[in-house]
Structures are given as C-alpha cells and as structure tokens.
Amino acid sequence: MASPFPERILARTRHVCQRPLVAVMVGIALSGCSFDLGSLMPEKDKPQEAPKAAPTDSAVSAGNVSEAQAHTAKAQALAKAGETSTALDEFNRAVALDPYNAQALYGRALIYQGNNQHDFAIADFSAASGLNPQKAEPLLGRAVSYLALGKVREAAADLDEASEADPHNVQVWTTRGQAYERLGDKAKAAASYTKAVALRPRDDAARSGLARVGG
C-alpha cells in the first residue's frame, strides 16, 4: 500500500493497550495502512449488507454515489494531512450518502481505531469486508482492533483469512505471528514470522518474534 497511516493516529494507537506486545501489534499493523484502497470498491452484483445505522430504505442514487465519492476523496486527503476530526465528518457524510462505499467505511474505521473506539472500528471494518470479502486490509484492521480488545482468537481467525487473501502482505504475517504467540501456539507463530521474514528479511518485528518463539 502506498500511503502510510497518519503519524498522529499511529502515535495515539501505540497507547491502545497496557500490554506492550499488543501496542507493538497495533503499530505494526497500521504503519503501512492507507486511507485510499484503490480497488476496494463495492461489487454491486454481490449480496450486500448495509452498515448498521445507515439508510437502507431506498436505493442509493447515482448522484448520491458520486457525491459520496467526492466526500471520500476529501476525507482521505484530510486524514493523510492529519486532520482526522474533519476527515471523520467527511467520511460520515460519504457513508450517509452511500452506505455501500467501502472506501469511506474503511477510512472511517481507521480513524475510529486511532481514537481507540474499537467497537465502532470493528463494525466499519466488518461492513467494508462484507462488501469486498477478498480484501486483506479490512480483515487486518479488524484483527488489530480485536487484539486491542483482547479478543485474540477472533483476531487470529481474521488474520488466517487475510493471509489467504493476500499471502504477500508482510504486516498480515507479522501480526498473525504475534496473535498466535499470545495464544501460545508457537508453531503457528513461528511459521507466520518465518513467512514475514522471507518476504521482508530486515523486518525487525518479525525477526524479534521469530527469536522469541524459538524459530
């Protein structure tokens, strides 16, 4: 992914949990995230579930979709500039206009996550993932929030799926290793760290994790 997660959010997110390992997981998983998912757009021919609290009683007009995309683009630019409060307002407008806008849902989820509002983040990551089930980014994002809430098994399940969706994503493998390390499954943790190191030999987090589990 091309654009780094805004440093202001990353700095706050590092303080999500009391336990250092979870904080490391959050930082690693978000450090390469981007608000602009490019190809992550709704596939209208697939069954879709609108996000909760989104208007679903009428069809989304073409005008609404176009306006929502404009708000999403503005929100992405604001978020990358660190103006997350204003960006959140724009993402809210985009989702209100088009509840099937996966980019807006994902971007809003990242802001919620950076604000430690993990329940809200999980809801939006879930909606974005439901609209595009083959994308690893929403699964990784949701896993990070699950980890912050101590729901390690749920996180591991998401990371298993994300690793299948994008087997070349180093962050997925590193975070998966840390999740399984927390679960006490050293074999799966070592396998995940090994995969991350194979993809990025100088990945310090993956190398440190591999050393911890005896890989």
Side-chain angles (χ1 to χ4, degrees):
M1 290 180 282
S3 303
F5 193 92
E7 183 60 30
R8 181 191 302 180
I9 293 181
L10 181 56
R12 286 201 305 269
T13 307
R14 290 195 183 101
H15 299 288
V16 159
C17 294
Q18 296 291 328
R19 285 171 289 189
L21 184 57
V22 177
V24 171
M25 291 178 189
V26 174
I28 291 169
L30 297 183
S31 63
C33 285
S34 166
F35 283 95
D36 183 1
L37 297 183
S39 62
L40 183 55
M41 298 297 290
E43 299 179 25
K44 299 296 185 181
D45 58 336
K46 291 186 176 182
Q48 300 168 349
E49 180 180 350
K52 294 179 181 179
T56 60
D57 55 344
S58 61
V60 180
S61 69
N64 279 6
V65 170
S66 179
E67 188 177 350
Q69 290 173 346
H71 282 295
T72 301
K74 183 177 180 181
Q76 290 167 341
L78 287 166
K80 291 171 186 175
E83 300 295 330
T84 55
S85 178
T86 309
L88 181 59
D89 290 339
E90 292 296 321
F91 280 131
N92 284 335
R93 293 187 181 98
V95 173
L97 287 164
D98 179 8
Y100 305 110
N101 186 322
Q103 286 189 335
L105 289 162
Y106 178 79
R108 188 171 71 173
L110 288 175
I111 291 179
Y112 283 145
Q113 190 171 73
N115 290 335
N116 298 337
Q117 295 174 288
H118 293 289
D119 288 330
F120 290 153
I122 287 168
D124 276 356
F125 283 132
S126 296
S129 183
L131 290 167
N132 286 266
Q134 298 304 312
K135 291 292 181 179
E137 293 91 342
L139 292 166
L140 172 60
R142 187 169 66 181
V144 169
S145 281
Y146 277 143
L147 288 171
L149 295 176
K151 297 181 178 181
V152 186
R153 292 191 182 281
E154 291 88 338
D158 274 354
L159 293 163
D160 286 346
E161 188 175 346
S163 68
E164 293 179 2
D166 185 1
H168 301 291
N169 190 315
V170 177
Q171 292 164 341
V172 167
W173 288 111
T174 300
T175 309
R176 183 177 185 268
Q178 292 168 328
Y180 277 110
E181 184 178 351
R182 283 189 62 188
L183 289 172
D185 191 333
K186 290 187 176 182
K188 285 188 176 180
S192 297
Y193 288 136
T194 298
K195 183 68 174 179
V197 171
L199 290 168
R200 187 186 295 164
R202 295 186 179 181
D203 189 294
D204 290 338
R207 293 172 64 182
S208 296
L210 192 57
R212 283 195 304 272
V213 297

